[in-house]
Amino acid sequence: MEKIKIDHLEKIFHSQNEMKINALTDINLSVKENEFVCILGPSGCGKSTLLRIIAGLEDASFGKVFYNGQEHIKPCRDIGMVFQSYSLMPWLNVLDNIALGLNFSGMAKPKRLSIAEEYLDMIGMSNFGKAFPHELSGGMQQRVAIARALANNPDVLLMDEPFGALDAYTRIIMQKELLRIWEQRKKTILFVTHSVDEAVYLADRIILMSGSPGKIKKEILVTMPRIRDRSNPEYGALTAELLVLLEET
Amino acid sequence: MQNKFKMILLSLILPALLLIIWELSAIWVQNATILPTIGKVLENFMHATDNFIGLGSIPRNIGVSLIRVMSGYTAGVLIAVPLGVLMGYNKTIQQVFETLINIFRPIPPLAWQPLALAFFGMASIASVFDMPFGQQYVFWGNFKIAMVFLIGMGSFFPVVASVMFGVQNVRQTLIDSARVLGASERDIFFKILLPAAAPSIINGLRVGLAIGWGCLVGAEMLPGSLAGVGYLITHAYELARIDLVITGMICIGVVGALLDSIFKIISNKYFFWESKTR
Ligand SMILES: Nc1ncnc2c1ncn2[C@@H]1O[C@H](COP(=O)(O)OP(=O)(O)OP(=O)(O)O)[C@@H](O)[C@H]1O
Ligand SMILES: [Mg+2]
């Protein structure tokens, strides 16, 4: 079944100096239930804009976004998002940040904190529950933001370069962890990344975008079974192919 | 510890220098109606509980002034904070009020003096609440509505401006991430905007109180005032008691600084995250 359907989507920004920026043009994309889709493309090609429109945070100029067959306009807890930039509430400690979505849905404090603890363990930061965001490194903050999105148990998860700030080692751990959660919890994930390797490692399907104006250049199905082996020749060939395609954009 | 001692020492250099210059100038001038010596002013503080020029003790005058400022300040803040929050939250509300506020804001509070007198005359808290005549009445009669109005005006504008600024400048990413977590409009308002803007709000309250306290002398120059530090200063001046004028000024300065430090403590305790957030 189609989880998300994007139909002839177009986004034009009107900037301060009367200039029109065509950020996205004629985007058509369907994401199936439980599918893991990676969006790969150069900086400024509209990846964040696309996710924001799907989340309902930004209006489309033309075209529509459907979620479960219904037009999706307003943000809701079923479609979670991890942002590219720092997004933790600076006045809340890590646990309260992770539990924030559960707070909004009215869950009692002890219950939501115990759920938050689980996700804190998951991101390997058990000792940091009482720490405040400004006491964490950039990568740790991003892990908390991921835990916050996951703790809310959304149906669809939009992730905007979530692992960009992580070191190579933590990044690999988090990629594995994300796959585990995705398989276990039956989520649909749209994942933006700059990294070809990350896309090949994670995705069922890779959407390659090109810029000015942002459009979909190519779709590539990745059929290698998980957990994928980076030393597999097929893995290397796909990575190389994508790098060439990216260079052309 | 060494460091702390050094910091305290550093902060005392300039005040000490000022005292030395004051004392030397006073000795050089040799005229207590222009500049009395430190000793003379100190003497006033030694006898702080004496009845000065028929105006009562220093603590009593400070107390009267504090109540005046607090009533004006409270009135100003009670209007300014909700209004500022709403203006920061809603563009329409902001448009409706902004022009008016921008025109009124540059007017110094003391320029309202004649109008305040015309509007409120001699009405006081005692007469407004229709208290029976007696000691209570005399006490509360000290708190003229016109003064409360002036001080309220003084605190209103800085508070409204900084509260509005605080609410408007909450980072969009914070609001967006709350929305995708399923926050209702009410959640956004109470659980995101207010806490995020709280440091600005407190800062506004702090500036507002400083300005309200600064309006004191002007407000207490209004006729009908018979007590308060501001009145003490103007009255002492008429009697050429410059030592008392300086005593009053020091009281205003020290009390103002103490009030300010309360806010500083609150900020450091609850809003430590603000200055450290990247
Ligand atoms: N609010 C906005 N107002 C005007 N222009 C915008 C706005 N947001 C994005 N843009 C423009 O839209 C285009 C796409 O931006 P977007 O942030 O979606 O790119 P991106 O693919 O996420 O880039 P990156 O990989 O660097 O994060 C850019 O040209 C950008 O200047
Ligand atoms: Mg982006």
Side-chain angles (χ1 to χ4, degrees), chain B residues 225-273:
Chain B
S225 171
L226 285 174
V229 186
Y231 183 68
L232 185 73
I233 290 177
T234 42
H235 195 58
Y237 174 64
E238 282 161 12
L239 300 178
R241 286 286 306 275
I242 303 303
D243 59 308
L244 257 187
V245 171
I246 296 178
T247 305
M249 288 169 68
I250 293 175
C251 290
I252 292 183
V254 170
V255 173
L258 285 178
L259 291 176
D260 199 65
S261 65
I262 296 175
F263 283 104
K264 210 167 171 177
I265 292 169
I266 295 178
S267 290
N268 288 343
K269 183 157 179 318
Y270 296 102
F271 306 124
F272 55 87
W273 49 267

Side-chain angles (χ1 to χ4, degrees), chain A residues 142-188:
Chain A
Q142 199 58 358
R143 276 188 271 164
V144 176
I146 293 166
R148 179 178 69 181
L150 290 172
N152 214 24
N153 198 16
D155 182 26
V156 176
L157 193 53
L158 310 171
M159 306 183 85
D160 195 352
E161 294 182 40
F163 303 151
L166 303 183
D167 62 282
Y169 175 73
T170 316
R171 192 169 180 146
I172 287 173
I173 304 241
M174 291 297 291
Q175 287 169 353
K176 276 197 180 135
E177 199 54 41
L178 182 64
L179 283 179
R180 191 182 63 78
I181 290 168
W182 166 69
E183 266 162 13
Q184 195 179 25
R185 298 284 175 89
K186 300 267 169 269
K187 293 197 187 306
T188 307

Side-chain angles (χ1 to χ4, degrees), chain B residues 80-101:
Chain B
V81 171
L83 185 63
V85 170
L86 290 176
M87 284 173 69
Y89 177 66
N90 184 303
K91 264 248 154 338
T92 315
I93 300 179
Q94 185 192 352
Q95 286 297 330
V96 169
F97 286 98
E98 197 161 42
T99 320
L100 199 66
I101 289 182

